Amino acid sequence: MSVVPGTVVLDIGKTNAKLTLIDAAGKTLAEARTPNTVRRVGPYPHHDTERLWVWMLGQLRELSALARIRAIVPVTHGATAALVDEAGLVLPVLDYEHVPGDAADEARYESLRPAFGESGSPLLPAGLNLGRQLDWLQGRFPAEFARARHVLLYPQYWAWRLCGVAASEVTSLGCHTDLWRPAQGRWSSLVERHGWEPLFPARREAWARLGRLRPELAADTGLPADCEIVCGIHDSNASLLRHLLTLQQGGPCTVLSTGTWVIAAALGSATRPLVEALDMLANCNVFGEAVPCMRFMGGREFGAIAGEQPAAFAAEDVERLIARGTMALPCFAEAGGPFAGRVGRVTGAMPQTDAERAALATLYVVLMTDHCLDALGASGRVVVEGAFTANPWFGPLLAGLAPGRDVTVSDDSSGTTCGAWMLDAWGREPEGGAAPVRAWSPPGWRAYRDGWQAALQSR
């Protein structure tokens, strides 16, 4: 076995799952990924947890030959929970894009959920409010729900499978769930009304060591018997962590966690009140503090415009679209965002090539991000984390929309990985950081933005 120490991050995003082996300095040694598939058989659409489990164990066997793995850190998307008893799941893990129940169920839940001022959680479509999922599961499957010993938030479900210790954690409790009062740090009126509190295990810090890897899993994978399982964290909060810890030195900033979702988290930079109808929310950071946020399904929308395999494009493609006045107007996803419910469309001359479609998708996500920053009243630096760091035009175009806007792009294409590593290496800073980008304002860029905004108002 290799003597190089390492940490494994299990990162389950809405679209893909990833295992990353990281060394003691925070550098990636190996990485594997697989689609995060949804099964549409059984009682409702649900996550294929068993396929992910088998895949993960197989990858751990390979990674164990590359390093002495000291810890595994789970990080996952939000709005997801597992109901378990001693033997495992009592119901499949519901996909949050599934609409739980009918219009009558929705209306009844709206009458039960806490006010926005209490929870900081906006009313969202489908199952994006975790409280709605739990309410529906309890009503639709009362016998199975009654068997549940724990409700485990999704990162802690994977931690429990790995070490057998059940825990709750505040970043997953406090991300548009309707379950939490961020200002008071306690359960919401919805949890109290339903009597759910005993189902949630004791809260632990995201960086807490819950226990060692189950012995049978250590034997199966070749991992050390003393490999520890870290409690884990909600993915956009993992992206936030590096900047949260350096906020005092760097001043106010807004962190853009980009992937399937683009989440703008205003760290000391928001100047406007949160508006529920615009998909603004108060996410809880790793310390339990409320962070003003706004979001849209940027990665999903980018793919809808650019296609499954986005093409490379050049400055000329961007300039040509701007000169033509070709615009993509929201929205191109079925869930979330400030324009939820609208049907996305392209105005002006249609893109003619794959390169132009990818350029148009980039213009769209930049304009949507700029809209979110303006709606939050965000000031100070803007830091791009996650998938959009691989798009060389995103940061410069965003900087070019506002004079003096300082945009930096992380050196980590998955900010969640860095944040998860920091939970294992608590108190240590990773090498590298974020590099500033040079603003690019193509001819007519700001006028194009103004036209895009005017088109939004006229719809």
Side-chain angles (χ1 to χ4, degrees):
M1 177 184 293
S2 173
V3 296
V4 177
T7 300
V8 167
V9 174
L10 170 63
D11 180 0
I12 302 178
K14 190 60 176 67
T15 304
N16 295 294
K18 184 172 64 171
L19 273 178
T20 307
L21 176 62
I22 307 173
D23 69 13
K27 296 296 184 181
T28 296
L29 300 177
E31 182 178 290
R33 64 176 61 217
T34 189
N36 183 16
T37 54
V38 172
R39 291 179 59 98
R40 304 193 181 277
V41 297
Y44 45 75
H46 58 275
H47 292 286
D48 196 347
T49 52
E50 290 313 303
R51 192 190 73 83
L52 283 181
W53 180 250
V54 171
W55 170 81
M56 178 181 66
L57 294 181
Q59 294 301 320
L60 288 175
R61 292 184 198 106
E62 296 186 19
L63 296 179
S64 66
L66 303 179
R68 189 179 191 280
I69 297 170
R70 302 175 301 106
I72 300 175
V73 186
V75 50
T76 80
H77 57 80
T80 305
L83 279 73
V84 302
D85 61 12
E86 290 77 1
L89 291 172
V90 300
L91 284 166
V93 177
L94 181 64
D95 173 26
Y96 67 57
E97 293 189 76
H98 174 64
V99 178
D102 55 19
D105 292 307
E106 181 178 9
R108 188 186 61 80
Y109 180 72
E110 285 188 39
S111 71
L112 297 173
R113 67 185 298 270
F116 182 64
E118 176 189 326
S119 67
S121 176
L123 177 63
L124 297 174
L128 280 164
N129 295 122
L130 183 56
R132 183 179 176 188
Q133 295 184 37
L134 296 178
D135 177 71
W136 180 73
L137 289 170
Q138 186 174 35
R140 178 69 178 79
F141 306 96
E144 292 87 346
F145 197 97
R147 279 175 40 214
R149 181 181 178 189
H150 298 303
V151 174
L152 299 176
L153 285 305
Y154 210 35
Q156 288 71 54
Y157 165 69
W158 293 100
W160 174 79
R161 287 198 70 165
L162 289 165
C163 72
V165 177
S168 298
E169 191 276 326
V170 72
T171 62
S172 292
L173 282 174
C175 65
H176 54 83
T177 63
D178 289 347
L179 302 175
W180 195 245
R181 287 182 169 104
Q184 290 80 33
R186 64 187 181 91
W187 301 107
S188 74
S189 55
L190 178 70
V191 175
E192 294 169 349
R193 182 179 295 113
H194 282 74
W196 288 337
E197 185 171 352
L199 288 171
F200 289 93
R203 291 189 301 282
R204 302 287 299 275
E205 306 289 7
W207 59 86
R209 264 68 170 169
L210 297 185
R212 291 183 175 183
L213 184 66
R214 293 176 188 260
E216 66 273 20
L217 297 179
D220 177 39
T221 59
L223 268 63
D226 60 354
C227 176
E228 295 183 302
I229 308 304
V230 177
C231 183
I233 190 170
H234 171 229
D235 55 9
S236 63
N237 270 285
S239 294
L240 198 64
L241 190 53
R242 176 193 296 191
H243 311 287
L244 187 65
L245 297 178
T246 60
L247 179 60
Q248 291 183 335
Q249 292 81 18
C253 70
T254 301
V255 178
L256 299 177
S257 173
T258 65
T260 301
W261 291 92
V262 173
I263 303 176
L267 295 178
S269 66
T271 60
R272 296 180 183 169
L274 297 180
V275 179
E276 180 178 11
L278 297 180
D279 206 350
M280 293 181 176
L281 60 153
N283 271 347
C284 286
N285 67 26
V286 73
F287 302 115
E289 301 160 338
V291 177
C293 297
M294 188 171 178
R295 62 189 205 144
F296 66 102
M297 222 168 187
R300 180 73 58 80
E301 296 193 87
F302 184 95
I305 299 168
E308 291 186 6
Q309 299 294 330
F313 60 91
E316 292 78 12
D317 296 300
V318 173
E319 292 168 348
R320 194 159 48 249
L321 291 171
I322 292 174
R324 288 180 190 158
T326 300
M327 295 181 180
L329 298 174
C331 63
F332 297 86
E334 294 181 359
F339 304 106
R342 296 192 186 187
V343 178
R345 62 189 177 96
V346 176
T347 64
M350 296 296 290
Q352 298 301 305
T353 65
D354 289 345
E356 286 191 357
R357 280 184 280 276
L360 181 62
T362 298
L363 292 174
Y364 174 80
V365 294
V366 170
L367 291 170
M368 284 290 294
T369 302
D370 177 71
H371 177 84
C372 292
L373 294 174
D374 181 66
L376 285 167
S379 60
R381 294 175 299 124
V382 177
V383 183
V384 183
E385 292 275 6
F388 286 6
T389 62
N391 186 326
W393 306 101
F394 178 81
L397 283 167
L398 185 62
L401 280 176
R405 177 182 281 166
D406 177 13
V407 176
T408 61
V409 175
S410 171
D411 60 355
D412 176 12
S413 63
S414 175
T416 55
T417 302
C418 174
W421 173 84
M422 290 177 70
L423 293 180
D424 180 43
W426 194 248
R428 283 191 284 151
E429 285 289 326
E431 296 178 4
V437 299
R438 179 177 295 180
W440 182 43
S441 186
W445 179 215
R446 293 177 189 170
Y448 179 94
R449 185 264 312 274
D450 294 342
W452 186 82
Q453 292 178 336
L456 294 181
Q457 298 302 319
S458 66
R459 292 186 70 184

